[in-house]
C-alpha cells in the first residue's frame, strides 16, 4: 500500500508538473507559436499558371496557413507560423521554382496588434490612409504628371502615385481634410472619369472594387480597344497601299485599272487622289477621334497639353 500510495503521489506530481510546463508554454509569449504575415516581391510571373503554382508550392510548406499571390502587383502575401517557417525560407522556396523573390515586409500578429492604439485617430480621420482610384482617360506621361499635380495640390493629400499602365491612382490622404469622393470629383472635373476603389468590400462586390482585379480588367479593356483600332487601321491602310503604291506606281500606264484610277475628275483631280482623300479623312475621323477627344479634355478641362 505504501508503494501504491507513493506511486500515486508521484503520478499526481508528474501530471501537475506537465500541466505547469504546458501552461508555461501557452502563457509565455516567447515559446508560443506566433502567426506572421510576410509580403514578398516576386518577379518572373507571366500568367495565372505561375500564380497557382507558387500558391500551391508555398501552401505545401509546414506552418503556412494561407497564401495570396497577385500577378498585377507581382507580390505574394503569406500567413505563416514564424517558428516553423521563416520569411527567408519562403523567399528560398519561391526562388527554387525559378522566380526572383525578395522580402518586402514581415510582421507578427503581436506587431500588427500594436497598431490598435492608432484606431481612435483612424476613426477621427486624423491618421493618413491610402485610397485607390480607377482613372480613365490617361494616354501618356503628361496625363500622369497632370493628375499627380492635381492630387498633390489638394489639401489633406500627402502623396499620390499614378499608374498609366493599370489606369489607377493611389492617394495617401487624411480623411478629416478630404474624402475619397472629393478626390474623385476633382479628377472627374479635370476630364478623367474617376471611380473610387475599395479592396475591403464584401464578397459580392470584391471583384468590381478590388484594385488588383480592376487593374487586370483595365488591361484587358485596353487590349480589346487596341485590337479594334488595329483592325480599323488595317481596313484603311490596305486600300491606301494598293491605290498609292501598286496602282499609281507599279502598274504600267496602259493597264486598264491604272487608266481608270488615273482618269481626271472635275478637270483636275484623278480618281486615285479622290479615293485616297476619302480614305484618309475616314481614318482621321474613326481612328483620330480617340486622340482628339482626350486632347480636348486635357486642354479645356485640365488646362494643360499632353501627347494627344
Amino acid at each position: 500500500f505504501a508503494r501504491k500510495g507513493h506511486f500515486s503521489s508521484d503520478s499526481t506530481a508528474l501530471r501537475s508538473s506537465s500541466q505547469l510546463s504546458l501552461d508555461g508554454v501557452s502563457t509565455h509569449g516567447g515559446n508560443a507559436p506566433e502567426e506572421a504575415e510576410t509580403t514578398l516581391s516576386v518577379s518572373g510571373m507571366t500568367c495565372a499558371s505561375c500564380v497557382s503554382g507558387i500558391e500551391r508550392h508555398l501552401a505545401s510548406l509546414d506552418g503556412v496557413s494561407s497564401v495570396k499571390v497577385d500577378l498585377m502587383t507581382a507580390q505574394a502575401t503569406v500567413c505563416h507560423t514564424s517558428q516553423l517557417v521563416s520569411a527567408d525560407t519562403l523567399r528560398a522556396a519561391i526562388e527554387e521554382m525559378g522566380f526572383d523573390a525578395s522580402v518586402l515586409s514581415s510582421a507578427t500578429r503581436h506587431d500588427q496588434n500594436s497598431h490598435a492604439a492608432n484606431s481612435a485617430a483612424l476613426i477621427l480621420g486624423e491618421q493618413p490612409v491610402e485610397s485607390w482610384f480607377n482613372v480613365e482617360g490617361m494616354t501618356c506621361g503628361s496625363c500622369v504628371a497632370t493628375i499627380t499635380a492635381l492630387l498633390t495640390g489638394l489639401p489633406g493629400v500627402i502623396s499620390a502615385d499614378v499608374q498609366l499602365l493599370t489606369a489607377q491612382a493611389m492617394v495617401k490622404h487624411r480623411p478629416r481634410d478630404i474624402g475619397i469622393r472629393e478626390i474623385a470629383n476633382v479628377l472627374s472635373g479635370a476630364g478623367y472619369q474617376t471611380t473610387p476603389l475599395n479592396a475591403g468590400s464584401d464578397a459580392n462586390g470584391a471583384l468590381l472594387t478590388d484594385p488588383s482585379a480592376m487593374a487586370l480588367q483595365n488591361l484587358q479593356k485596353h487590349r480589346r480597344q487596341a485590337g479594334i483600332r488595329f483592325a480599323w487601321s488595317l481596313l484603311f491602310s490596305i486600300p491606301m497601299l494598293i491605290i498609292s503604291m501598286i496602282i499609281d506606281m507599279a502598274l504600267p500606264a496602259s493597264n486598264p485599272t491604272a487608266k481608270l484610277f488615273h482618269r481626271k475628275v472635275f478637270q483636275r483631280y484623278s480618281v486615285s487622289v479622290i479615293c485616297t482623300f476619302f480614305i484618309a479623312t475616314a481614318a482621321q475621323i474613326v481612328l483620330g477621334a480617340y486622340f482628339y477627344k482626350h486632347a480636348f479634355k486635357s486642354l479645356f478641362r485640365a488646362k494643360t497639353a499632353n501627347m494627344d
Side-chain angles (χ1 to χ4, degrees):
F1 291 103
R3 291 181 179 178
K4 183 177 181 180
H6 180 70
F7 178 77
S8 177
S9 62
D10 289 344
S11 300
T12 303
L14 180 60
R15 286 195 298 267
S16 300
S17 62
S18 300
Q19 184 65 33
L20 288 173
S21 63
L22 290 175
D23 291 342
V25 171
S26 61
T27 56
H28 288 77
N31 297 327
E34 287 186 349
E35 285 291 326
E37 183 176 287
T38 299
T39 303
L40 304 100
S41 175
V42 184
S43 59
M45 297 186 296
T46 57
C47 60
S49 178
C50 301
V51 172
S52 61
I54 294 175
E55 288 180 341
R56 286 195 303 268
H57 184 59
L58 293 179
S60 65
L61 300 177
D62 293 335
V64 174
S65 56
S66 66
V67 181
K68 181 180 179 182
V69 180
D70 194 330
L71 177 62
M72 298 306 305
T73 60
Q75 291 184 359
T77 303
V78 185
C79 293
H80 60 99
T81 303
S82 57
Q83 284 85 349
L84 297 178
V85 58
S86 63
D88 290 334
T89 303
L90 297 174
R91 176 188 55 78
I94 297 176
E95 291 179 346
E96 288 177 356
M97 301 182 65
F99 302 96
D100 294 329
S102 61
V103 179
L104 298 179
S105 64
S106 184
T108 62
R109 297 297 185 187
H110 176 74
D111 297 332
Q112 295 172 355
N113 292 336
S114 64
H115 296 289
N118 298 325
S119 59
L122 182 62
I123 295 174
L124 295 175
E126 299 175 353
Q127 182 175 343
V129 297
E130 293 182 353
S131 300
W132 286 84
F133 300 87
N134 188 61
V135 184
E136 298 181 7
M138 295 187 295
T139 57
C140 62
S142 178
C143 299
V144 174
T146 300
I147 295 175
T148 303
L150 285 173
L151 292 174
T152 53
L154 296 176
V157 174
I158 301 174
S159 62
D161 181 18
V162 183
Q163 302 174 5
L164 176 63
L165 181 61
T166 58
Q168 290 183 351
M170 188 280 292
V171 183
K172 189 175 183 180
H173 63 102
R174 298 185 188 89
R176 182 187 62 180
D177 299 327
I178 188 170
I180 59 175
R181 181 53 57 187
E182 296 175 88
I183 297 175
N185 290 338
V186 169
L187 296 183
S188 298
Y192 303 96
Q193 185 177 353
T194 305
T195 305
L197 302 179
N198 179 17
S201 60
D202 56 10
N204 295 329
L207 292 178
L208 298 178
T209 56
D210 180 71
S212 300
M214 184 61 72
L216 180 59
Q217 182 178 343
N218 290 338
L219 287 175
Q220 293 173 345
K221 180 181 178 181
H222 176 74
R223 290 173 179 173
R224 288 195 300 267
Q225 292 176 345
I228 293 174
R229 289 197 294 268
F230 178 73
W232 276 105
S233 66
L234 285 180
L235 182 64
F236 292 122
S237 60
I238 290 176
M240 181 76 74
L241 178 66
I242 293 175
I243 294 174
S244 60
M245 301 300 295
I246 297 179
I247 296 177
D248 287 350
M249 300 180 64
L251 295 181
S254 59
N255 186 278
T257 303
K259 289 182 179 180
L260 175 64
F261 278 85
H262 294 163
R263 184 168 58 89
K264 298 295 183 179
V265 180
F266 304 119
Q267 299 179 355
R268 186 172 183 179
Y269 302 105
S270 64
V271 174
S272 62
V273 171
I274 295 175
C275 290
T276 53
F277 170 78
F278 282 107
I279 292 174
T281 303
Q284 285 291 325
I285 295 174
V286 175
L287 298 177
Y290 174 83
F291 302 99
Y292 298 146
K293 179 178 66 175
H294 289 91
F296 176 83
K297 290 181 178 180
S298 178
L299 288 174
F300 292 94
R301 293 188 181 182
K303 306 299 181 183
T304 184
N306 59 11
M307 294 296 291
D308 295 321

